[in-house]
Amino acid sequence: TNDSKSTSKNKVVAVVGGGLVGALNACYFAKRGFQVEVFESREDIREAKIVKGRSINLALSHRGRQALKQVGMEDTIVSKGIPMHSRMIHSLNGTQSPIPYGKKGQVTLLMQRLDTPHSAETYSTTKLNFAHKLLNWSTETGAMTFLRADGAKEEIQADLIVGCDGAFSAIRKQFLRQSRFNFSQTYIPHGYLELTMPPINGEFAMKPNYLHIWPRNTFMMIALPNLDKTFTCTLFMPFDEFENVTTGDQVIEFFQKYFPDTIPLIGADALKRDYFRLPAQAMVSVKCSPYHLSDKCVLMGDAAHAVVPFYGQGMNAGFEDCLVFNEIMDQLNEDFSAVLPEYTRVRVPDDHAIADLAMYNYVEMRSHVNSKWFLFRKYVDNTLHMIMPRTVIPLYTMVTFTRIRYHEAVKRWHWQDKVRHYIVHSSLYKGL
Ligand SMILES: Cc1cc2nc3c(=O)[nH]c(=O)nc-3n(C[C@H](O)[C@H](O)[C@H](O)COP(=O)(O)OP(=O)(O)OC[C@H]3O[C@@H](n4cnc5c(N)ncnc54)[C@H](O)[C@@H]3O)c2cc1C
Ligand SMILES: Cc1cnn(-c2ccc(OCc3ccccc3)c(C(=O)O)c2)c1-c1ccc(Cl)c(F)c1
């Protein structure tokens, strides 16, 4: 019909979910001249404080930065971020060992979760509808039903629906009823809890430009710096273990055993109080395909692929979804009937690869990564890379500091493992 030829000017794109990926997507479509309506179930976050239980700070790396750059948002986010150029590995005896990420400029950037949603408002053609919760939508007519704060139901139509409503997506529910839709969901036995490490005499309690890691096999903790000179510490531990720690004294005993250096920095009283502020949160891994439904609807971000946070790539992968979709919109000049299936064909293998890599990291770290092993592994990676920079690129480097497609990085990593095996073994035989 001739309206598919009409310019994007008078087409309406409904972005369901105003989180990190929804907000960025709104910018991408608005920049193209579409009329964008964002529907977000939560109240306007300018009123609401920190969302309960959500990770409040995140590691932004290369893929995410490239996506932000495309819509001119990189500078504002980067200016409010703190660069982390190395990991700081905390051993049980309190020794701190820095391991640089690699070359200069290879930094991961601390990003505050609350920064992006309102960036979408910079475009006049974008309307943010808060307190609009999607209840259902029809795959025949594309009509969406929203529940508003006043309890009224509102029916909305759009030329394209972009499902960015997170790991428990209501948009994806309709996909589950389509034949040939593949879906898997796995909860891991670990939970996470966030603790705040306050500044000491107005200064960071630890070195700020590092991603602090306490690898203790089953128990892991990380600390990311915040602009207000606090650190947000995230403790990862099996739910069974969380259930064993029920009193303040047991918390201190546990930290004394595994993270002794953090007790004076978090403060024993704050530790006893904050530890019980919220229950440990669950972590789920969701994989599905296809990501689209005819020329009507497409899933992006956690709605398409929720990953466990052991690679710090969930948001980066979701942001890269927006960038890849935009590249395909250019290639197929915004023809949704061609863009959507091509997006599924290109993006599913990569998002499934990072979901697998994140789960692999979780299993690796949970089973045998303590500080010695962490240091050894990274030392080997960095040394091999120094000796043969074009032959061996550490997997973490490919994932975090390049836009090598996630599934290509995995293929290359398997190939490198063979090469490394061969080098080690052949030199062993020579030595014998
Ligand atoms: C502990 C932890 C640490 C993490 N650390 C990192 C990190 O360091 N780096 C990184 O890249 N990623 C990290 N992540 C992953 C990152 O948080 C997610 O990948 C990212 O938030 C996904 O963004 P999204 O917009 O797709 O989904 P969400 O951020 O979940 O946003 C979904 C939005 O949709 C709204 N919504 C939901 N249902 C409806 C509905 N029915 N109607 C309307 N609106 C709805 C929600 O209110 C929400 O605002 C971490 C995750 C966790 C849990
Ligand atoms: C938020 C964020 C950003 N990046 N990373 C990350 C993840 C894994 C890493 O190595 C895995 C490994 C080290 C040694 C041996 C095998 C695997 C490294 C690294 O190489 O520095 C960095 C995280 C993160 C997230 C959760 C936990 Cl629990 C954690 F520790 C870190």
Side-chain angles (χ1 to χ4, degrees), residues 9 32 66 74-75 92 94 104 123 134 161 169 178 186 194 214 244 259 269 300 305 342 344 361 414 421 427 430:
K9 296 294 164 283
R32 283 183 171 277
Q66 291 296 97
E74 187 191 24
D75 298 344
L92 210 45
K104 263 177 56 57
Y123 293 89
L134 179 95
I161 300 171
S169 163
Q178 307 296 314
T186 310
E194 289 188 331
W214 290 259
N244 288 343
F259 312 109
D269 294 343
M300 295 199 216
H305 47 77
E342 177 65 2
T344 283
N361 241 13
H414 287 318
H421 220 75
S427 49
K430 271 200 205 91

Side-chain angles (χ1 to χ4, degrees), residues 219 237-247 249-251 253-254 275-276:
F219 312 125
M237 189 157 85
F239 278 106
D240 301 352
E241 300 292 340
F242 274 115
E243 278 145 26
N244 288 343
V245 180
T246 53
T247 68
D249 293 345
Q250 285 171 337
V251 174
E253 197 182 318
F254 175 75
Y275 185 92
F276 298 106

Side-chain angles (χ1 to χ4, degrees), residues 51-62:
V51 182
K52 267 162 62 91
R54 300 298 308 264
S55 65
I56 56 170
N57 63 11
L58 306 134
L60 173 73
S61 43
H62 184 70

Side-chain angles (χ1 to χ4, degrees), residues 16-22 39-42 54-55 57-60 113 132-135 146 164-170 192 194 224 234 236 282-283 300-303 307 309 312-317:
V16 179
L20 293 162
V21 174
F39 298 98
E40 165 56 45
S41 51
R42 282 177 294 138
R54 300 298 308 264
S55 65
N57 63 11
L58 306 134
L60 173 73
R113 176 181 290 277
H132 276 66
K133 180 182 171 75
L134 179 95
L135 293 177
F146 289 96
C164 304
D165 47 344
F168 307 102
S169 163
Y192 74 89
E194 289 188 331
L224 294 174
T234 307
F236 298 95
M283 290 174 277
M300 295 199 216
D302 276 17
V307 300
Q313 279 296 310
M315 165 189 64
N316 285 284

Side-chain angles (χ1 to χ4, degrees), residues 61-126:
S61 43
H62 184 70
R63 294 169 200 272
R65 281 183 69 161
Q66 291 296 97
L68 291 170
K69 187 180 193 162
Q70 188 66 27
V71 286
M73 277 174 51
E74 187 191 24
D75 298 344
T76 36
I77 298 286
V78 168
S79 64
K80 287 195 237 168
I82 299 170
M84 297 177 284
H85 46 69
S86 308
R87 312 93 165 165
M88 184 64 89
I89 306 305
H90 292 248
S91 308
L92 210 45
N93 64 14
T95 320
Q96 297 190 27
S97 318
I99 322 171
Y101 275 119
K103 300 196 178 50
K104 263 177 56 57
Q106 285 189 338
V107 296
T108 47
L109 201 108
L110 176 280
M111 184 177 138
Q112 305 291 343
R113 176 181 290 277
L114 296 178
D115 286 351
T116 32
H118 290 284
S119 43
E121 275 177 325
T122 47
Y123 293 89
S124 58
T125 53
T126 301

